Amino acid sequence: MAGSNPLVLPAEMSIIEVESLQARFQAALAEQDSLIISASHVERIDTAAMQLLAALCLTCCQQHRPVVWQDPSDVFLMSARLLGVSSALGISIDAQ
């Protein structure tokens, strides 16, 4: 089990996509020791989608699996900061 294939987040992330995103995340967790998540294309993300990502990061932390954020968009970083989940996602506030 390697962690080399990044999960690429879609441009639009909302409650409508949460179920399919959760299935993708579960599949990735079953196949990889660590997660690389590309958030470079995120243009819009709502609270439900951000909560899903925070829960994913919490699960990874509990299982001692690293999560690496690959080139998060400004929108993603701002949303994480505004929703107060930067720390839960493992994103440094200084990077924003």
Side-chain angles (χ1 to χ4, degrees):
M1 290 197 305
S4 59
N5 295 326
L7 285 167
V8 179
L9 300 180
E12 298 283 325
M13 295 183 63
S14 71
I15 195 167
I16 296 167
E17 291 88 18
V18 165
E19 188 174 350
S20 65
L21 288 170
Q22 183 178 18
R24 283 180 55 205
F25 296 154
Q26 288 175 336
L29 285 173
E31 297 172 2
Q32 301 177 23
D33 292 328
S34 62
L35 291 181
I36 300 170
I37 304 174
S38 173
S40 61
H41 299 295
V42 176
E43 297 174 3
R44 183 179 141 339
I45 184 166
D46 70 9
T47 304
M50 196 63 84
Q51 287 173 329
L52 175 64
L53 291 170
L56 172 69
C57 290
L58 176 62
T59 298
C60 287
C61 180
Q62 291 170 339
Q63 295 176 359
H64 306 288
R65 297 180 185 207
V67 175
V68 177
W69 292 98
Q70 192 174 63
D71 209 19
S73 69
D74 289 341
V75 168
F76 182 85
L77 294 173
M78 178 69 77
S79 296
R81 185 178 63 78
L82 290 173
L83 292 171
V85 296
S86 296
S87 178
L89 296 175
I91 297 173
S92 171
I93 299 218
D94 295 337
Q96 299 174 34

